[in-house]
Amino acid sequence: MNLARTVLTVTTAAALLLGGMPAALAAPQPPAAPPELAHATGAPAVQLEGGSAAEAAPAVPPEEPSAGGLAGAASAGAHPTTVAHVTEAFEIVNEHRRQANRAPLVYNTALSRNAQQWAETMAGARKESRNPDPWAGAPAGGVRMDQYYGKGVFTGAFAGTDAVEALTHYLLDFFPRNGTDQFARDLTHLGIGVSHVATSGSDGPGWETYLTVYYYAYPAGQAVPGTFATPAQGFVPPVTAPAYAVRGAIATKYQRLGGSAVLGEPTTNERGGLVDGGVYQQFRRSGRTTTIYWAPGYGAMAVKNYSSIGQKWIGAGREHNYGLPTTDERPVSGGAHQVFRRDGRSTQVLWSAGTGSRAVKLYGAIGRAWKAAGSERGYGFPVTDEYRYGAEVRQRFSKGHTVHYAAGRTWVTR
């Protein structure tokens, strides 16, 4: 890419993960673009961000966009990752190593598969972020070294390889070269992942490009599976995940809660056969799963599988115990709660920082007494679930009250 035709503006919150080093290194700010570039007529605009990058996400088909250039591809949807994009980054990395008098790296399919999954994860979230375990699934025997990740926003006449080139140069040019980074002597293997998202805005159509680069070192002479001299020999195309339809009341709820920007993409089709005629569909974003349920008389409600309340409900047996959700998870003073129902009997799961998540059986004698006293505003949040003590059933609450039940009688102690 010819930088003479590029306006370069950078906002960076960048870090570099180094093998054996506990802290990340902040990236220095690159020099400002020359005035003649900043005012060049018709120049494309670029915004680059970078750092160090967790989990697999659907990838896009490995084929070039149809004729029509950037505008046509942007309007058609996401730009596919191709071997040309990966090769572009691969060659730039090794050119930097050559300038630092380091041996070239070889392309590794296992590292690249992981890198591609993370690039797709960032693209799905539309932001750069750290990968907490980027080395899982890599070939055995290697020594973790470095990881780079970044996001570039490109508008103007940029092809996919131009965007990859700009982002790769940015990540490599503006990070410290202190002898322990990508120019380290003992690095031997490289993994690269690229993902593009088509965009449009006031500056016209363009791309958000996400790049992940993993570096590994292996003992001299060790045979490593999936190793190739170039990506052209060993490129593993991204695997297209199946598309799932979102329909009816679940679709309405999904959009009302923010759609893909908040809940992510569907990971299942709608499935039925639940108690009380219920159906459900799951969605996932940034490692968090949300399930939307619908049943006659319940409406469509969401369970945050990842939250403390969601985990409590799952651990109790999902709809088979507490039942289907009749509310979403809602905040209350000092915590949160959600109500579930099965066979006409409601259970309220409450969470606070001091008590965790506990269940109150609203249909039981203890639950009725707690509710009559003002719920969490009266006796407080439940500290325990209901439990047996001799002939009694008890439940303790955060404001010091214990509700007892035995032989048809309910009483409270402090």
Side-chain angles (χ1 to χ4, degrees):
M1 180 183 68
N2 182 0
L3 291 180
R5 59 182 178 86
T6 304
V7 177
L8 177 62
T9 59
V10 180
T11 59
T12 305
L16 166 62
L17 288 181
L18 300 176
M21 297 186 65
L25 299 177
Q29 292 290 334
E36 63 271 19
L37 294 185
H39 297 91
T41 302
V46 183
Q47 182 177 354
L48 298 173
E49 303 172 60
S52 98
E55 98 174 26
V60 287
E63 55 185 357
E64 292 289 356
S66 58
L70 179 67
S75 63
H79 191 300
T81 301
T82 69
V83 65
H85 303 146
V86 175
T87 299
E88 182 78 13
F90 179 84
E91 292 175 348
I92 291 170
V93 169
N94 276 333
E95 174 60 22
H96 279 257
R97 287 183 61 82
R98 185 192 65 78
Q99 294 175 15
N101 297 316
R102 299 289 184 259
L105 303 179
V106 294
Y107 178 84
N108 182 268
T109 56
L111 289 178
S112 294
R113 186 176 294 110
N114 293 347
Q116 181 63 37
Q117 288 174 342
W118 185 249
E120 295 293 345
T121 297
M122 291 193 295
R126 303 291 292 273
K127 65 179 182 180
E128 75 290 351
S129 57
R130 297 173 184 265
N131 183 350
D133 189 13
W135 317 107
V143 178
R144 181 185 108 173
M145 295 301 294
D146 302 345
Q147 175 191 6
Y148 289 78
Y149 67 91
K151 168 187 175 182
V153 180
F154 304 88
T155 58
F158 271 85
T161 52
D162 288 329
V164 172
E165 180 178 348
L167 187 52
T168 308
H169 272 301
Y170 169 70
L171 289 175
L172 298 185
D173 286 345
F174 297 115
F175 278 96
R177 301 183 184 183
N178 58 6
T180 61
D181 60 8
Q182 77 272 22
F183 304 107
R185 297 178 186 275
D186 52 354
L187 292 179
T188 57
H189 290 68
L190 178 67
I192 298 174
V194 181
S195 183
H196 302 278
V197 177
T199 61
S200 61
S202 58
D203 294 325
W207 300 111
E208 289 179 3
T209 297
Y210 299 83
L211 176 70
T212 304
V213 182
Y214 293 165
Y215 297 96
Y216 247 62
Y218 287 88
Q222 178 175 329
V224 179
T227 295
F228 298 88
T230 68
Q233 297 171 321
F235 180 64
V236 179
V239 177
T240 303
Y244 299 108
V246 187
R247 303 173 297 178
I250 287 181
T252 301
K253 183 70 172 185
Y254 174 64
Q255 295 302 330
R256 188 173 295 158
L257 293 176
S260 61
V262 175
L263 302 186
E265 299 300 329
T267 60
T268 66
N269 284 317
E270 186 177 294
R271 296 172 178 172
L274 305 183
V275 298
D276 294 338
V279 298
Y280 74 96
Q281 188 166 13
Q282 289 190 333
F283 305 86
R284 191 169 182 84
R285 183 178 187 273
S286 301
R288 292 182 165 185
T289 297
T290 301
T291 307
I292 298 179
Y293 291 83
W294 176 90
Y298 289 76
M301 301 295 169
V303 175
K304 299 175 180 178
N305 296 40
Y306 55 88
S307 75
S308 179
I309 288 176
Q311 288 293 299
K312 175 70 172 176
W313 177 76
I314 291 170
R318 301 178 186 261
E319 72 277 3
H320 303 293
N321 187 356
Y322 297 158
L324 294 169
T326 61
T327 69
D328 295 328
E329 186 174 308
R330 296 172 178 171
V332 295
S333 179
H337 75 99
Q338 187 164 13
V339 179
F340 304 89
R341 186 174 74 233
R342 183 180 182 188
D343 299 329
R345 304 195 301 181
S346 294
T347 299
Q348 186 170 353
V349 180
L350 297 100
W351 171 89
S352 75
T355 62
S357 289
R358 306 289 180 179
V360 176
K361 298 176 180 178
L362 299 180
Y363 57 88
I366 291 176
R368 291 195 299 270
W370 172 79
K371 189 173 181 180
S375 301
E376 72 279 358
R377 298 181 302 278
Y379 292 162
F381 288 87
V383 175
T384 68
D385 294 331
E386 287 189 4
Y387 64 95
R388 282 203 166 272
Y389 187 84
E392 299 178 17
V393 177
R394 295 180 176 181
Q395 188 163 14
R396 293 190 292 113
F397 297 90
S398 61
K399 293 184 179 180
H401 300 78
T402 298
V403 182
H404 307 250
Y405 172 82
R409 188 169 69 94
T410 303
W411 68 99
V412 180
T413 61
R414 296 194 68 178

